[in-house]
């Protein structure tokens, strides 16, 4: 361990040159940004390491996706790692599910400054020619011997790699709350549970350099005691290590571990809309007493946001536009984003809600968003609207059949994947390989969205008949 | 309609059968096979609906009466009979039932229809009268008339909606996903996804290819390195051999020269000159001597030649002067020519001058006194301009003033004309008057208003007066009271007076007082009643008078004011008056403006007049200056500007001519004097040269002569000078040669001494030896230098001397050739390898820069997204369809036709609870049964017995339905329980009994004794039909 402190950058799930999902069709310029998003994020991580003069970069899990078989990813990784080597910065690679060790070993001409962690071997050491042994990286182990834990001044920082499951599934009440918190995703971030997954809160965006954004740092960060984190904390609290690097949680969070902290930096670039909000990596500063200061750094060039707007039958289009605009202005920007993909979810019922199903109404709303709701000339914003019916509110004057239909649907809530799979079994004209494909697709769908579509489908069927009957 | 009895006269096997029936409830008839049970059923049907034509052999004779049925219809009894015909289904006849007597067909039909409650034979056959065969077949229930009762007339709005949804769901399914037909949005997205994945897979070889290319590149790099090393080796080898080749020649040379040097005698020093050079020195010496002697003889000759040339000394003395004159000769010629030309010109100029002078006339006398200088001209022109400007300004000013004065005058006249209408008043006074008129008009309107008010007030007062007048009239009863009081008072007064006079004065006084009091009271009352009114009236009257006065005053004021308003006419309204006064005021205002304008004009006019005086003064000044200038120039002061300028120009022109002439004359004079002076000088020179005989009148001639002489003198002189010069040069050269000869002689001696030679031959020998020695040394040095140069060029290489000794040039050359050939081949191989490397690197770079894979993967994600959206739609549709299916299922269960609901109840009881529900799928005309376990069965899936129970239940339900609609017909069942098991048969019998209890007449025919006994056990006494006997009256029971 160096007697003078050091820094390293921890990034996870970089997935270089992996494609983004559910962006929707994009114009050529924005498509290029989206296509290069993960590459850009990795380049920014490399530039960050050089600018901050870190001693090493740790990439945990899924630095690329082997199924992509992307030469571009391989080239970019080698080039970036080589660039780090030229600046005397080492790189530690911890393979993950999608970038297993075997695939790393097949990469030709991996630079000399790169060490690939093999879970079968005991550990690897990160040494610095002037500063000595900086860190000892090993697999997280519950059966640790306290006496072996080197806690003294000058001992290397022990980094444990935890690649076990991290389940953020929450109880029903909390889930409902989470739905509510979706309404003001960022604005209430300070109060919502989700805020505590993205630590620390950045009070003011610092001036971005090299395309990334650095937030204010705090002391060693702890999460508050929320129900859904108890299990995680209990799990991770059993693992030793000054720094437990969580590999695959898909969310940024920090909890106490047995002797230090457990941290997942999240993903540097969101791949899908569910990874909304600012994304990045973590700059870890270690002093000579192994006190850790974690600073999240925003490196993503493409950012999703999924704000939700609640409307009632009395809401007018102007009210809706105003609410959307207000909500938009609450979104915090961090300067490095080139493309924003804002998926507005409008929940409610009433005439306006029904009108939004019409393409011309939705299109005109989107056109007004595109011209009015922008952050800056450099940041492109692409808006889309999704509609979720409000089950509690029904339009009056509906036919009995429609109400029966809706009641039938409601009785099936909450819809789950098994129910969707079950649908395949009873579907007309679906047999053979198609059945398997549909089952596979069923696992990828959001049951709530399916339910909303079924709801709307029913409205289309029954309302037309009802109107005709009227 | 109930059947009271069956009276068969002849039908089938029955003859004269009289079978009474219970009009309500269950009638069970037991008879063995061929007892005629079915015949009875046919008989009933035939009587009611007509008999079907039997086969020919069994045909009844026409007009034979089959039988009749005694019926109870609407509480009336009667009978219906049918008589066979030749064709058709028999003629129906009635007895009773309100149709006694002759009836027409229409009445018959109406009655039949009434009796049958509007049902047709099909309905009767399929619903009311059926046997085992009918009950086993669903088809018998599928006739339209029957079917519509079972399945309902319509589905209802909800049913229709659910039915139409099926089509929409089917259409939506087709839209979204029809994998068997390869159609549908979802199918297309699957296909697109597969296509893109295929493209990606095809493209995904790039990583492997990159690896392969990288491997090949690395291999190639190694191979190139190896080739390069081999190339270096070959080059080194070649270098060595070439080096050897280069080194050997100088080395062998050095070697030989050293050998020779060792053999030669050593000559320490020798002059640096060889025998040839010694010979050269001697030859040169000899040459120089010869040359010198030639030069000396030449010099002598030249001297003699120069002495022989003789020149003119006088000419020689004056040559320069003569030459200078000769140089000027051209100028003299030009001068003479100029003089000639000048004389001609002068004559012309003089003539012109005299001509112009004559033209000038009297002005010629003064012409010479006029200042014709340019400055005078400038002053003249400037003053003229100023004078003219001042004149024009004055004129212009004058005109303006005149114009202004005229305008002023005209406007003044116009204004005066207008002001005449003011009646001698000024405009201000008139304006004051107009303003006063305005005020008066306002006052008038005010007064009129007041007048109107007063008038109104007056009217009101008069009205009030009238009103009060009426009020003065007291009501009758008041007057009566008052007069009563007066009368009483008077009476009392008189009485009092009388009493006072007659009886008691005090009493009389009292009475008088009382009477007076009464009168006073009356008077007071009247006054009280009338006082206020009178006071009021007085007030009103006074007011009336005041108003009158005021009205009068107002009227007077009005009249006065009106009359004071100019233009006032009686009856004119204030508005009209105001308008007139306003017009008048406006006119006055215009006049005032006009007056003001005229004043302004006048002021301006006076200003302009003042200015005009200045202009005039200015003009006078300029005029004076003009006159002074004219005098100064020399012109008459009375001349006008144009005349003066013209005169000046003319005089100036003449003066100019004169000056030209004079200048030419003076020039001519000067030229002549020059020419004369030149002539004189030439003459003087000639005299000095003693040329007294020459003619000096023509200097050019003289100079030409002298020029020739001078030319020849020059030639002689230069010839002489050349000779002398050449002689001197020769002598100098000879002197140089002499010194050189001397030097050469010294040199030769020194050489001999230095070389140690006695003579030339000796010297030559020694020189040769020395020469050779030197040569050898030089060659040696060169060879060594060459050797050193060669060896220094290849410092890394070292050669052993023994190699040089053993060196074979041919072998070496051969080896060199071999090495060169190998190198060439290697070069070619390397080039090929480099090319291959280049293309590999290019390919690798292309692979690395290829973004197509990323783009395709992005496209695939877009397709995947669309696929998920389509799948979401499909799942949503299926989910919604399943919900609709649920609705439909519930609808089918809960919204069935009433008949099926009723049939369900009957069936449930008849099947002992096995089947609970009979229903029909929405929009379909087929039946389903639900058992107690909820399982649904089609009719075809049922056992025979269950099916018969179902159809019986349906019929019972229909009969019940018909009955509720007012169709009462007997239910005739022909041995329908045969296939029912014990329990179900029992249950069915109970059901039939219950059914019949509700007033339905039920005729049950059976040939099974156990069934008859079952009925009997349940309290239904069956009727035992007798066995068949021909032609005997049978009486049942």
């Amino acid at each position: 361990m160096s007697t003078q402190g050091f820094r390293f950058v921890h990034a996870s799930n970089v997935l270089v040159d992996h494609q983004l999902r559910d962006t929707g069709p994009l114009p050529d310029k924005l498509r290029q940004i989206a296509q290069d998003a993960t590459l850009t994020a990795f380049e920014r991580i490399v530039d960050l390491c050089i600018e901050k003069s870190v001693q090493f970069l740790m990439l945990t899990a899924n630095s690329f996706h082997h199924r992509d078989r992307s030469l571009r990813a391989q080239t970019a990784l080698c080039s970036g790692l080589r660039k780090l080597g030229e600046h005397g910065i080492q790189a530690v690679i911890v393979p993950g599910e999608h970038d297993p060790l075997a695939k790393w070993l097949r990469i030709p001409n991996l630079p000399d400054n790169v060490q690939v962690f093999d879970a079968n071997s005991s550990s690897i050491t990160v040494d610095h020619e002037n500063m000595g042994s900086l860190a000892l990286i090993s697999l997280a182990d519950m059966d640790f011997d306290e006496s072996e834990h080197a806690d003294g001044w000058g001992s290397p920082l022990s980094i444990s790699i935890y690649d076990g499951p991290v389940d953020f599934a929450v109880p029903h009440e909390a889930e409902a709350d989470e739905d509510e918190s979706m309404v003001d995703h960022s604005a209430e971030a300070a109060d919502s549970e989700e805020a505590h997954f993205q630590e620390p809160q950045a009070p003011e965006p610092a001036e971005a350099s090299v395309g990334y954004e650095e937030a204010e740092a705090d002391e060693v960060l702890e999460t508050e005691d929320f129900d859904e984190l108890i299990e995680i904390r209990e799990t991770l609290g059993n693992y030793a290590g000054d720094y437990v690097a969580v590999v695959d949680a898909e969310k940024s969070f920090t909890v106490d571990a047995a002797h230090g902290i457990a941290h997942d930096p999240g993903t540097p670039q969101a791949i899908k809309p569910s990874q909304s909000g600012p994304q990045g990596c973590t700059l870890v500063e270690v002093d000579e007493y192994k006190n850790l200061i974690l600073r999240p750094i925003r490196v993503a060039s493409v950012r999703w946001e999924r704000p939700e707007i609640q409307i009632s039958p009395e809401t007018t289009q102007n009210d809706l536009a105003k609410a959307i605009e207000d909500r938009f202005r609450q979104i915090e920007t961090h300067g490095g984003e080139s493309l924003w993909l804002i998926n507005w979810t409008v929940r409610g019922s009433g005439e306006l809600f029904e009108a939004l199903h019409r393409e011309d109404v939705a299109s005109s709303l989107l056109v007004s968003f595109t011209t009015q709701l922008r952050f800056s000339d450099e940041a492109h914003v692409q808006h889309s609207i999704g509609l979720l019916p409000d089950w509690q509110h029904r339009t009056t004057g509906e036919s009995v059949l429609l109400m029966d239909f809706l009641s039938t649907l409601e009785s099936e809530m909450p819809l789950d994947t098994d129910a969707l799979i079950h649908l395949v079994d009873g579907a007309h004209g679906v047999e053979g390989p198609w059945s398997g494909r549909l089952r596979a697709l069923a696992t990828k769908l959001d049951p709530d969205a399916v339910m909303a579509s079924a709801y709307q489908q029913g409205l289309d069927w029954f309302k037309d008949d009802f109107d005709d009957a009227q | 309609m109930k059947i009271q009895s069956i009276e068969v006269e002849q039908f089938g096997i029955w003859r004269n059968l009289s079978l009474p029936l219970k009009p309500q409830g269950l009638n069970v008839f037991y008879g063995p096979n061929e007892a005629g049970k079915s015949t009875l059923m046919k008989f009933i049907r035939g009587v009611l609906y007509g008999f079907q034509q039997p086969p020919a052999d069994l045909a009844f004779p026409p007009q034979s009466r089959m039988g009749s049925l005694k019926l109870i219809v609407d509480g009336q009894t009667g009978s219906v009979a049918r008589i066979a015909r030749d064709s058709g289904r028999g003629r129906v006849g009635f007895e009773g039932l309100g149709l006694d007597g002759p009836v027409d067909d229409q009445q018959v039909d109406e009655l039949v229809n009434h009796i049958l409650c509007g049902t047709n034979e099909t309905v009767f056959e399929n619903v009311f009268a059926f046997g085992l065969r009918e009950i086993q077949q669903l088809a018998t229930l599928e006739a339209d008339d029957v079917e519509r009762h079972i399945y309902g007339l319509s589905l209802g709005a909800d049913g229709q909606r659910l039915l139409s949804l099926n089509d929409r769901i089917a259409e939506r399914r087709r839209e979204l996903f029809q994998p068997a037909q390869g159609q549908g949005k979802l199918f297309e997205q699957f296909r697109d996804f597969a296509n893109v994945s295929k493209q990606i897979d095809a493209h995904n070889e790039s990583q492997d290819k990159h690896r392969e290319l990288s491997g090949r590149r690395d291999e190639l790099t190694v191979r190139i390195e190896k080739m390069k090393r081999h190339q270096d080796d070959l080059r080194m080898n070649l270098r060595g051999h070439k080096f050897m080749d280069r080194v050997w020649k100088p080395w062998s040379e050095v070697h030989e020269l050293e050998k020779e040097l060792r053999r030669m005698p050593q000559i320490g020093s020798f002059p640096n000159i060889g025998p040839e050079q010694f010979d050269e020195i001697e030859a040169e010496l000899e040459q120089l001597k010869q040359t010198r002697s030639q030069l000396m003889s030449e010099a002598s000759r030249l001297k003699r030649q120069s002495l022989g040339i003789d020149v003119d000394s006088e000419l020689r003395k004056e040559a320069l002067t003569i030459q200078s004159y000769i140089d000027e000769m051209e100028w003299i010629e030009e001068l003479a020519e100029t003089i000639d030309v000048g004389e001609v010109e002068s004559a012309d100029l003089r003539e012109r001058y005299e001509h112009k002078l004559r033209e000038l006339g009297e002005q010629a006398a003064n012409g010479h006194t006029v200042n014709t200088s340019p400055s005078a001209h400038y002053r003249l022109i400037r003053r003229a301009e100023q004078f003219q400007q001042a004149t024009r300004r004055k004129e212009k000013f004058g005109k303006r003033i005149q114009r202004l004065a005229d305008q002023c005058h005209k406007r003044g006249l116009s204004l005066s004309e207008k002001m005449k209408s003011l009646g001698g008043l000024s405009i201000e006074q008139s304006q004051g008057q107009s303003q006063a008129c305005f005020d008066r008009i306002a006052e008038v309107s005010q007064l009129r208003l007041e007048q109107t008010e007063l008038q109104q007030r007056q009217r009101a007062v008069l009205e009030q007066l009238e009103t009060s007048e009426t009020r003065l009239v007291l009501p009758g009863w008041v007057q009566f009271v008052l007069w009563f009081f007066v009368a009483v008072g008077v009476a009392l007064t008189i009485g009092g007076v009388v009493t006072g006079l007659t009886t008691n004065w005090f009493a009389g006084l009292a009475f008088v007082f009382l009477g007076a009091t009464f009168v006073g009271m009356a008077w007071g009352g009247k006054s009280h009643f009338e006082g206020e009114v009178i006071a009021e009236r007085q007030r009103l009257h006074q007011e009336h008078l005041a108003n009158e006065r005021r009205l009068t005053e107002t009227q007077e004021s009005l009249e006065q004011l009106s009359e004071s308003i100019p233009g006032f006419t009686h009856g004119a309204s204030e508005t009209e008056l105001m308008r007139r006064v306003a017009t008048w005021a406006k006119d006055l205002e215009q006049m005032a403006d006009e007056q003001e304008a005229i004043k302004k004009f006048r002021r301006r006019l006076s200003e302009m007049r003042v200015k005009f005086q200045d202009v005039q003064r200015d003009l006078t000044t300029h005029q004076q200056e003009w006159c002074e200038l004219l005098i100064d120039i020399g012109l008459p002061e009375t001349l006008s500007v144009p005349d003066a300028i013209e005169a000046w120009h003319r005089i100036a022109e003449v003066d100019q001519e004169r000056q030209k002439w004079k200048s030419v004359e003076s020039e001519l004079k000067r030229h002549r004097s020059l020419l004369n002076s030149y002539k004189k000088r030439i003459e003087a020179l000639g005299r000095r040269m003693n040329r007294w005989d020459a003619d000096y009148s023509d200097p050019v001639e003289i100079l030409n002569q002298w020029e020739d002489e001078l030319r020849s003198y020059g030639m002689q002189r230069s010839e002489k000078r050349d000779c002398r010069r050449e002689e001197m040069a020769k002598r100098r050269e000879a002197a140089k040669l002499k010194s050189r000869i001397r030097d050469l002689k010294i040199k030769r001696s020194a050489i001999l001494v230095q070389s140690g030679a006695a003579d030339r031959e000796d010297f030559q020998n020694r020189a040769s030896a020395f020469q050779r020695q030197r040569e050898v040394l030089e060659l040696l040095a060169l060879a060594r230098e060459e050797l050193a140069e060669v060896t220094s060029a290849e410092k890394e290489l070292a050669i052993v001397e023994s190699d040089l000794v053993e060196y074979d040039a041919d072998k070496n050359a051969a080896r060199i050739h071999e090495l060169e050939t190998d190198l060439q081949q290697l070069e070619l191989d390397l080039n090929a390898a480099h090319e291959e490397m280049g293309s590999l690197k290019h390919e690798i770079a292309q692979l690395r820069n290829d973004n197509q894979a990323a783009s395709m993967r992005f496209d695939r994600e877009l397709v995947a997204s669309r696929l998920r959206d389509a799948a979401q739609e499909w799942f949503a549709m299926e989910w919604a369809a399943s919900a609709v299916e649920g609705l439909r299922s519930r609808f089918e269960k809960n919204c069935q036709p009433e008949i099926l609901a009723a049939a369900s109840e009957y069936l449930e009881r008849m099947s002992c609870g096995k089947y609970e529900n009979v229903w029909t799928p929405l929009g379909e005309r087929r039946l389903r049964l639900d058992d107690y376990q909820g399982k649904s069965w089609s009719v075809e899936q049922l056992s025979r017995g269950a099916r018969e129970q179902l159809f019986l239940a349906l019929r019972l339900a229909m009969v019940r339905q018909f009955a509720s609609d007012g169709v009462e017909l007997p239910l005739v069942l022909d041995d329908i329980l045969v296939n029912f098991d014990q329990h179900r048969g029992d249950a069915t019998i109970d059901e039939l009994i219950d059914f019949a209890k509700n007033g339905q007449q039920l005729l049950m025919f059976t040939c099974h004794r156990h069934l008859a006994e079952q009925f009997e056990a349940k309290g239904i006494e069956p009727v035992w039909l007798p066995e068949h006997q021909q032609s005997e009256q049978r009486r049942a029971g």
Side-chain angles (χ1 to χ4, degrees), chain B residues 638-873:
Chain B
T638 56
L639 285 177
S640 67
V641 166
D643 291 344
I645 290 172
E646 194 192 340
W648 186 87
H649 277 124
R650 287 173 66 185
I651 292 171
E653 216 173 286
V654 169
D655 192 47
Q656 211 171 4
E657 292 294 332
R658 188 182 64 81
Q659 281 179 7
K660 275 186 194 169
W661 172 55
K662 287 293 181 198
S663 92
V664 166
E665 271 292 325
S666 68
E667 189 71 20
L668 199 61
K669 193 175 169 182
R670 193 175 61 83
H671 288 157
R672 284 190 187 117
S673 71
L674 275 175
L675 188 65
N676 287 336
S677 123
Y678 191 75
K679 277 183 184 172
K680 282 179 182 164
R681 281 191 282 130
I682 289 175
E683 193 177 343
L685 178 62
R687 299 250 153 76
R688 281 203 305 276
M689 288 197 303
N690 298 318
R691 307 280 179 97
W692 304 99
D693 300 328
D695 180 11
Y696 293 100
S697 60
D698 188 359
V700 173
E701 185 72 34
I702 297 292
L703 282 173
N704 284 333
Q705 276 178 15
W706 287 356
E707 189 181 17
D708 293 337
E709 286 176 22
L710 210 60
R711 198 177 300 120
S712 64
Y713 164 73
M715 281 167 60
Q716 285 171 353
R717 198 162 166 261
S718 67
E719 189 185 340
K720 191 168 182 170
R721 192 169 49 244
D722 290 342
C723 285
R724 284 302 299 271
R725 198 181 300 126
E726 209 172 321
E727 180 199 342
M728 293 311 293
K730 298 272 184 212
R731 289 189 190 280
R732 276 196 300 276
E733 203 175 326
K736 279 184 192 169
L737 286 176
K738 188 176 176 183
S739 68
R740 277 187 68 191
I741 290 168
R742 190 174 57 246
D743 291 336
L744 278 172
K745 280 183 179 171
I746 293 170
K747 194 173 173 184
R748 190 180 64 170
S749 302
I751 288 169
L752 283 172
V753 167
Q754 196 177 0
S755 66
D759 54 17
R760 183 179 176 280
E761 194 178 338
D762 191 20
F763 177 80
Q764 237 172 350
N765 291 336
R766 286 183 71 81
S768 300
F770 186 73
Q771 180 68 22
R772 182 63 196 155
Q773 186 181 352
R774 278 184 61 183
E775 277 176 6
V776 167
L777 283 172
E778 273 178 18
L779 286 172
L780 187 62
L782 281 173
R784 279 182 180 153
E785 208 178 289
E786 194 182 334
L787 185 64
E789 198 180 315
V790 167
T791 51
S792 68
E794 300 285 355
K795 285 180 184 162
E796 300 91 16
L797 298 175
I799 302 177
V800 180
E801 193 152 345
S802 59
D803 291 337
L804 287 168
V805 171
E806 290 167 5
Y807 175 78
D808 184 342
D810 292 332
K811 276 189 188 167
N812 199 48
R815 182 70 187 134
I816 287 171
H817 179 72
E818 202 181 301
L819 287 171
E820 281 176 347
T821 308
D822 288 344
L823 269 172
Q824 270 176 16
Q825 187 57 45
L826 197 58
E827 191 77 32
L828 288 171
D829 293 340
L830 263 174
N831 284 341
H834 279 301
E835 270 180 28
E836 194 184 333
M837 177 65 89
S839 74
L840 275 175
K841 283 185 176 172
H842 178 67
E843 240 180 289
I844 288 171
Q846 269 188 327
L847 280 174
R848 283 184 179 167
N849 293 332
D850 183 12
N851 292 337
Q852 204 176 351
S855 179
M856 283 197 284
R857 278 185 276 113
F858 191 86
D859 287 336
R860 185 172 61 179
E861 274 310 315
L862 288 177
V863 172
S865 176
R866 289 201 296 269
L867 179 60
R868 284 191 291 274
D869 291 343
Q872 183 176 300
E873 279 186 59

Side-chain angles (χ1 to χ4, degrees), chain A residues 17-26 31-32 34-35 67-72 74-75 106 108-109 399-401 404-405 408-409 412 415 419-421 423-424 427-430 434 437-438 441-442 444-446 449-451 453-454 457-458 460-462 464-466 469, chain B residues 157-159 161-162 164-165 168-169 172-173 176-177 179-180 186-187 190 201 204-208 210-211 214 217-218 844 847-848 850-851 854-862 864-865 867-869 871-884 886-887 890:
Chain A
D17 200 33
H18 190 62
Q19 54 281 358
L20 306 190
R21 290 175 50 184
D22 295 329
T23 61
L26 296 171
R31 179 196 163 110
Q32 195 61 48
Q35 229 170 273
R67 284 222 177 90
D68 290 341
R69 300 182 71 184
S70 167
L71 181 58
R72 205 161 78 134
Q74 186 179 302
T75 309
R106 288 191 70 186
N109 304 323
S399 67
V400 172
L401 268 184
D404 282 346
F405 171 81
T408 305
L409 282 187
E412 302 293 340
L415 194 61
L420 291 179
I421 291 172
L423 267 182
V424 176
H428 287 264
V430 174
W434 294 107
R437 287 180 194 136
L438 286 171
L441 265 179
K444 293 184 168 55
L445 298 179
D446 176 9
V450 171
M451 186 60 90
S453 291
Q457 180 72 87
D460 290 342
W461 285 340
F462 287 100
D464 287 345
D465 289 337
F466 180 65
Chain B
D158 286 351
R161 207 165 296 136
L162 284 171
S164 70
L165 272 178
R168 293 185 71 174
I169 290 170
R172 187 76 178 129
R173 279 205 177 100
L176 286 175
F177 194 42
L186 185 57
F187 180 84
F190 269 124
D201 289 338
N204 266 350
E205 304 302 321
S206 57
Q207 241 186 12
D208 296 334
H210 180 261
R211 198 176 303 113
S214 298
R217 183 194 57 194
D218 295 339
I844 288 171
L847 280 174
R848 283 184 179 167
D850 183 12
N851 292 337
S855 179
M856 283 197 284
R857 278 185 276 113
F858 191 86
D859 287 336
R860 185 172 61 179
E861 274 310 315
L862 288 177
S865 176
L867 179 60
R868 284 191 291 274
D869 291 343
Q872 183 176 300
E873 279 186 59
W874 183 84
F875 277 100
M877 183 274 298
E878 287 294 336
W879 195 260
S882 75
V884 168
L887 285 183
R890 284 197 294 280

Side-chain angles (χ1 to χ4, degrees), chain B residues 10 250 549 644:
Chain B
Q10 54 173 1
R549 271 198 308 278

Side-chain angles (χ1 to χ4, degrees), chain B residues 616-628:
Chain B
Q616 266 190 325
R617 275 196 292 274
D618 190 45
L619 177 64
T620 308
T621 307
H622 284 294
Q623 191 176 15
Q624 203 171 345
E625 283 173 357
W626 170 253
C627 293
E628 283 170 6

Side-chain angles (χ1 to χ4, degrees), chain B residues 583-594:
Chain B
T583 308
W584 184 37
K586 189 176 167 191
D587 292 341
L588 287 173
E589 205 174 310
Q590 282 174 355
M591 280 196 261
D593 292 340
E594 185 69 16

Side-chain angles (χ1 to χ4, degrees), chain B residues 939-976:
Chain B
V939 171
E940 294 74 21
Q941 290 172 314
L942 299 175
S943 65
R944 184 177 57 182
R947 196 160 52 240
E948 289 171 10
Q949 286 159 13
L950 168 65
F951 295 152
L952 176 60
L954 283 170
R955 284 176 170 85
L956 292 178
M958 278 195 283
V959 166
R960 181 68 66 216
Q961 176 78 38
F962 275 121
S964 67
D965 292 338
V967 176
E968 287 185 359
L969 290 173
L971 184 60
V972 182
L973 309 173
D974 182 11
D975 228 349
I976 56 162

Side-chain angles (χ1 to χ4, degrees), chain B residues 424-442:
Chain B
L425 294 174
S426 69
I427 294 171
E428 288 78 16
Q429 287 171 339
S430 299
Q431 278 180 325
Q433 274 191 351
S434 71
Q435 186 59 40
C437 282
F438 274 123
D439 296 338
R440 277 187 222 128
I441 290 169

Side-chain angles (χ1 to χ4, degrees), chain B residues 457-469 540:
Chain B
R457 181 77 192 134
Q458 199 72 327
R459 276 196 292 277
V461 164
L462 287 171
E463 279 173 14
Q464 282 182 1
L465 276 171
E466 283 172 11
T467 308
S468 64
E469 198 169 316
L540 287 172

